[in-house]
């Protein structure tokens, strides 16, 4: 019977093994670095470990990184509904799901693996037996009880208790003193009565024993049956003397106790002051430690997605400006090194007959191109000297750069206009090298890559290009139609004029992506060739040619770029661009026949 009971009890203690979390995998966008930004990665959740691979097909080559989830902290992003961060000590993974539902699914799966992995989880407690729980509970109870005894009360409460006990002791001493006084009075009365009885017996014969109280001894003397009373009282105790001694002793104790209480009260003030000082020191140390940890985390994760351009960026406008300046300097150094190592390949310019550029095209966007050409010829060539809206920001020799601030839907557009004069080249040559995509990467240093999406005609193409990222600003891309036109002269005195206009369009083959912010542009380069007559019968040489360049750029950067950064780019990058490009054209045309 007992075996059955024991067996039954054990069956109740044993619980079925819990279901372990299954392997979970899928595609997540992972922040790599500020150059490449977000990249799709195959992420696998298995055995309390989160691992990622470049793709699902490359799992057999091993993971590129992993995190143990035992001490991981999962933080859903406050603003981005698809993003969540996983941090273990100083290591942080920034991840983005396809949509909020997938993010929730990932977070719940990770939390499930994390909950089932620890030694203190419900499953592990069942696996290690119930004695562990009982022992832990007993230890906790013991520790709690011991700590409660050790903790004690505050000093002021103890002082109040001591004062209370002193009052009680005083009352008890008074009560005992009354009792001792009563005892002393009773002894005195008893002695008085005994003395009176002895005086009365002297008047009666000695042989009379009415009560048997006296007797005669052998020598004839009289002996009393009860012992004579001692002056010290009952049992030989001097109650009055003892009472006086007790009172003196207790008075001394109470006096000493009062003195101790007074000293403790005085010391409590000094102790409290010392405690306040120590607490203040500890608070300052803790604050300094927190600041140091925050600075360390900021430095270790500087360059993460929280510090890039955006409405909730952790970097302020001044730091943003400094970071852009530093990144531009870094790119300039890289470009200088690459230019010194690069050997330019001489390509003969593929020049299309001039009449092709002078006619209006027949493609589907021809009317839009003609509209842009007429607008730039009307407004871009106007003199800005008397216009108060244009501000001169750079003047270097023949080059002048103007800007004016325009805001559209809360975004600063910062239109720019630059004028420059270059000797030895024609307007046709300058516009050709500016428009020709075959030589674009020879002089353009801000482009990461580009491709021709569609060729509309011999002088019009649709181009998609991505620009190098300048961290912490987001990477930009543009999709634009680029058209080159020769402007027909209205009279014989008009200079030979060429124009390249680039303006944003939409195309199904190049939709916007999450990787880049799509910028909108409306750019024009207008080049006029001025020829000075040669001396005598000499032929026209490049020494007689001057190209007057007017460059106009209206750029809507999109995103959240601060206006100060746009002004910095205008003042720094546009002059460098014009110098670099015109120097390139002069180099390419030197020693070659003039192309009008």
């Amino acid at each position: 019977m007992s075996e059955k009971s024991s067996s039954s009890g054990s069956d109740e203690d044993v619980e079925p093994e819990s279901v372990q979390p299954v392997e979970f995998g899928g595609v997540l966008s992972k922040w790599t670095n500020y150059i490449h930004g977000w990249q799709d990665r195959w992420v696998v959740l298995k055995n309390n470990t989160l691992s990622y691979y470049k793709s699902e097909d490359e799992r057999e080559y091993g993971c590129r990184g992993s995190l143990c989830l035992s001490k991981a902290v999962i933080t859903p992003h406050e603003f981005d509904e698809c993003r969540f961060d996983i941090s273990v000590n100083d290591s942080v993974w920034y991840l983005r799901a396809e949509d909020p539902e997938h993010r929730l699914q990932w977070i719940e799966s990770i939390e499930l693996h994390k909950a089932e992995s620890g030694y203190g989880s419900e499953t592990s407690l069942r696996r290690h037996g119930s004695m562990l729980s009982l022992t832990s509970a007993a230890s906790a109870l013991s520790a709690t009880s011991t700590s409660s005894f050790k903790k004690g009360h505050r000093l002021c409460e103890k002082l109040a208790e001591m004062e209370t006990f002193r009052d009680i002791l005083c009352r008890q001493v008074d009560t005992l003193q009354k009792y001792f006084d009563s005892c002393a009075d009773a002894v005195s009365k008893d002695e008085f009565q005994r003395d009176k009885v002895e005086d009365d017996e002297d008047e009666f014969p000695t042989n009379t024993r009415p009560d048997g109280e006296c007797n005669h001894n052998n020598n004839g003397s009289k002996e009393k049956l009860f012992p004579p009373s001692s002056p010290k009282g009952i049992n030989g105790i001097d109650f009055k003397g003892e009472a006086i001694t007790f009172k003196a002793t207790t008075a001394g104790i109470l006096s000493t106790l009062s003195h101790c209480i007074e000293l403790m009260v005085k010391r409590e003030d000094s102790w409290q002051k010392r405690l306040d000082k120590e607490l203040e020191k500890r608070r300052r140390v803790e604050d300094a430690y927190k600041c140091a940890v925050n600075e360390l985390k900021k430095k270790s994760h500087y360059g993460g997605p929280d510090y890039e351009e955006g409405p909730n960026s952790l970097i302020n406008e001044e730091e943003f400006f400094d970071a852009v300046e530093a990144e531009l300097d870094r790119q300039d150094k890289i470009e200088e090194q690459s230019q010194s190592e690069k050997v330019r390949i001489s390509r003969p310019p593929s020049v299309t007959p001039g009449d092709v550029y002078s006619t209006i095209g027949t493609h589907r966007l021809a009317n839009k191109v003609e509209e842009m050409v007429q607008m730039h010829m009307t407004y871009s060539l106007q003199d800005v000297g008397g216009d108060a809206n244009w501000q001169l920001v750079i003047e270097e020799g023949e080059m002048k750069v103007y800007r004016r601030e325009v805001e559209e839907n809360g975004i600063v557009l910062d239109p720019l206009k630059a004028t420059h004069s270059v000797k030895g080249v024609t307007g046709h040559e300058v516009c050709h090298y500016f428009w020709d995509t075959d030589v674009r990467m020879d002089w353009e240093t801000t482009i990461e890559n580009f491709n021709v999406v569609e060729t509309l005609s011999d002088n019009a193409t649709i181009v998609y290009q991505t620009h190098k990222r300048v961290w912490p600003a987001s990477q930009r891309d543009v999709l634009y139609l680029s058209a080159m036109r020769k402007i027909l002269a209205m009279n014989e005195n008009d200079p030979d004029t060429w124009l390249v206009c680039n303006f944003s369009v939409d195309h199904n083959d190049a939709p916007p992506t999450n990787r880049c912010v799509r910028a909108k542009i409306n750019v024009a380069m207008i080049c006029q060739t001025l020829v000075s007559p040669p001396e005598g019968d000499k032929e026209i040489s490049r020494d007689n040619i001057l190209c007057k360049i007017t460059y106009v750029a209206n750029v809507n950067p999109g995103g959240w770029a601060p206006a100060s950064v746009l002004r910095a780019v205008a003042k720094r990058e546009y002059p460098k661009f014009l110098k670099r490009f015109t120097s390139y054209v002069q180099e390419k045309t030197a020693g070659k026949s003039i192309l009008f």
Side-chain angles (χ1 to χ4, degrees):
M1 184 68 180
S2 61
E3 293 179 358
K4 291 182 179 179
S5 299
S6 176
S7 175
S8 175
S10 63
D11 290 341
E12 292 177 356
D13 292 339
V14 176
E15 295 184 7
E17 195 71 26
S18 63
V19 178
Q20 294 296 320
V22 297
E23 179 179 342
F24 186 73
V27 177
L28 288 175
S29 294
K30 183 179 182 296
W31 177 265
T32 54
N33 51 54
Y34 71 86
I35 296 177
H36 298 99
W38 297 97
Q39 298 290 333
D40 288 343
R41 295 289 183 260
W42 181 261
V43 183
V44 176
L45 178 61
K46 182 181 181 181
N47 296 334
N48 190 38
T49 301
L50 191 68
S51 308
Y52 79 92
Y53 307 81
K54 187 173 182 180
S55 64
E56 185 178 7
D57 298 334
E58 294 190 8
R59 291 190 59 180
E60 59 183 17
Y61 301 113
C63 69
R64 296 198 167 196
S66 62
L67 283 179
C68 180
L69 299 176
S70 299
K71 296 183 179 180
V73 178
I74 298 94
T75 307
H77 197 265
E78 184 178 1
F79 305 104
D80 192 340
E81 296 181 350
C82 298
R83 176 182 153 190
F84 62 99
D85 304 340
I86 302 177
S87 59
V88 179
N89 297 328
D90 292 336
S91 178
V92 182
W93 284 13
Y94 305 101
L95 302 172
R96 293 187 83 254
E98 182 182 355
D99 49 49
E101 290 75 15
H102 281 83
R103 182 184 79 165
L104 179 60
Q105 185 179 3
W106 272 101
I107 292 176
E108 289 177 348
S109 300
I110 293 172
E111 293 288 1
L112 178 60
H113 276 256
K114 181 181 174 183
E116 291 296 333
S117 65
Y119 186 78
S121 64
E122 183 180 355
T123 303
S124 62
L125 285 178
R126 287 199 297 267
R127 189 162 55 245
H128 290 86
S130 59
M131 283 302 295
L132 176 63
S133 300
L134 293 174
T135 305
S136 302
S139 300
L141 179 60
S142 175
T144 304
S145 302
T146 304
S147 63
S148 65
F149 281 112
K150 289 181 180 179
K151 183 177 179 182
H153 298 284
R154 293 181 59 192
L155 182 59
C156 60
E157 297 176 358
K158 283 295 184 183
L159 293 176
E161 292 178 3
M162 293 174 68
E163 291 179 355
T164 301
F165 288 134
R166 183 186 64 181
D167 296 338
I168 295 174
L169 184 58
C170 289
R171 290 196 296 268
Q172 290 178 342
V173 169
D174 291 340
T175 302
L176 287 174
Q177 187 63 48
K178 290 178 182 179
Y179 173 74
F180 291 145
D181 292 341
S182 300
C183 290
D185 292 340
V187 170
S188 299
K189 290 180 181 180
D190 182 60
E191 291 179 351
F192 176 76
Q193 290 178 356
R194 287 180 183 276
D195 292 341
K196 185 177 180 181
V197 170
E198 289 178 358
D199 293 340
D200 292 341
E201 286 179 350
D202 292 339
E203 297 176 2
F204 294 96
T206 59
N207 58 354
T208 59
R209 299 178 59 189
D211 298 323
E213 295 176 349
C214 60
N215 196 2
H216 292 277
N217 54 17
N218 295 331
N219 57 12
S221 64
K222 182 174 63 176
E223 184 178 348
K224 295 181 181 178
L225 296 180
F226 52 85
S229 297
S230 171
K232 291 185 179 180
I234 301 175
N235 297 326
I237 298 176
D238 185 359
F239 289 102
K240 185 171 289 188
E242 290 292 334
I244 293 173
T245 302
F246 179 78
K247 186 173 183 180
T249 303
T250 54
I253 294 174
L254 293 176
S255 176
T256 303
L257 181 60
S258 299
H259 182 65
C260 290
I261 292 174
E262 183 178 352
L263 290 176
M264 291 173 69
V265 169
K266 291 180 178 179
R267 289 191 176 185
E268 184 188 21
D269 295 337
S270 63
W271 291 343
Q272 187 64 44
K273 291 179 180 179
R274 292 175 60 184
L275 178 61
D276 293 339
K277 290 181 179 179
E278 292 298 326
L279 291 176
E280 179 64 22
K281 288 181 181 179
R282 180 175 179 177
R283 185 190 64 79
R284 289 198 297 265
V285 171
E286 289 178 348
D287 292 342
Y289 172 75
K290 290 179 181 178
C291 292
V293 170
N294 291 333
E295 287 296 323
L296 182 62
K297 288 182 177 180
K298 182 177 180 180
K299 290 180 180 179
S300 62
H301 304 308
Y302 201 75
D306 291 322
Y307 292 91
E308 65 176 347
E309 172 190 350
N312 306 303
S313 176
L314 299 181
I315 189 171
N316 58 42
E317 185 169 332
E318 183 177 352
E319 293 172 333
F320 195 102
F321 177 84
D322 293 340
V324 168
E325 285 282 311
E327 181 63 17
L328 289 173
D329 291 338
R330 187 184 71 86
Q331 291 186 7
D332 287 345
K333 291 181 180 179
I334 295 175
E335 181 61 26
E336 289 176 3
Q337 294 175 358
S338 63
Q339 288 293 338
S340 62
E341 298 172 357
K342 182 168 58 176
V343 178
R344 287 174 177 165
I345 301 174
S346 178
R347 304 185 188 92
S350 55
V351 181
T352 308
D355 56 353
V356 174
Y357 296 104
S358 60
T359 58
I360 300 175
T362 58
H363 52 83
R364 68 178 188 279
L365 296 175
N367 292 334
K368 184 65 176 177
V369 172
E370 187 64 22
E371 178 184 344
M372 288 294 177
V373 169
Q374 296 301 324
M375 181 194 72
H376 284 297
M377 290 304 298
T378 303
Y379 299 105
S380 298
L381 291 177
Q382 291 180 354
D383 186 16
V384 298
D387 193 341
N389 293 324
W390 289 97
Q391 300 175 2
L392 179 64
V393 293
I394 295 291
E395 184 174 6
E396 296 181 7
E398 296 293 332
M399 181 176 59
K400 296 180 181 180
V401 179
Y402 303 86
R403 60 168 292 274
R404 61 189 178 96
E405 191 169 309
V406 176
E407 190 170 314
E408 181 178 299
N409 298 325
I411 299 177
V412 178
L413 303 184
D414 232 23
L416 178 139
K417 185 173 185 177
T419 60
H420 193 27
S421 297
V422 183
K423 291 183 178 181
V425 294
T426 65
H428 187 182
E429 292 170 335
V430 173
C431 286
H432 167 74
Y433 284 107
F434 184 70
W435 177 80
D436 189 3
T437 56
D438 291 337
V439 297
R440 179 70 52 83
M441 299 303 291
D442 289 347
W443 58 268
E444 178 61 272
T445 62
T446 64
I447 294 178
E448 183 176 87
N449 55 66
F450 77 96
N451 65 284
V452 177
V453 178
E454 183 181 356
T455 301
L456 298 175
S457 64
D458 291 337
N459 65 336
T461 58
I462 295 179
V463 180
Y464 171 77
Q465 66 187 30
T466 58
H467 289 265
K468 294 178 182 177
R469 182 174 185 192
V470 182
W471 191 88
S474 300
Q475 189 172 20
R476 258 66 178 182
D477 64 357
V478 288
L479 178 67
Y480 62 93
L481 188 152
S482 181
M484 180 175 173
R485 289 285 302 276
K486 179 180 180 181
I487 307 301
L488 297 177
M490 302 300 294
N491 57 68
E492 59 181 10
N493 294 325
D494 289 343
D496 187 42
T497 304
W498 289 76
L499 176 145
V500 175
C501 62
N502 300 335
F503 57 92
S504 293
V505 292
D506 295 325
H507 200 284
N508 294 332
D509 293 341
T513 65
N514 293 329
R515 183 170 176 267
C516 299
V517 175
R518 180 63 57 88
K520 302 292 185 180
I521 65 171
N522 186 1
V523 176
M525 178 173 283
I526 305 173
C527 300
Q528 296 175 314
T529 305
L530 304 179
V531 180
S532 59
E535 296 180 359
D537 297 333
K538 293 182 180 180
E539 295 183 356
I540 297 176
S541 66
R542 293 195 176 273
D543 294 334
N544 305 117
I545 299 172
L546 178 69
C547 180
K548 184 179 178 182
I549 301 173
T550 302
Y551 180 79
V552 179
N554 290 274
V555 180
N556 183 341
W560 302 84
S564 61
V565 177
L566 296 178
R567 286 191 287 270
V569 172
K571 294 175 66 174
R572 168 176 173 157
E573 296 303 311
Y574 280 109
K576 288 170 56 179
F577 149 71
L578 281 176
K579 288 185 198 177
R580 183 173 59 247
F581 172 67
T582 54
S583 297
Y584 171 79
V585 175
Q586 286 176 323
E587 178 185 343
K588 296 296 287 185
T589 57
K592 296 180 181 179
S593 59
I594 302 173
L595 179 64
F596 287 99

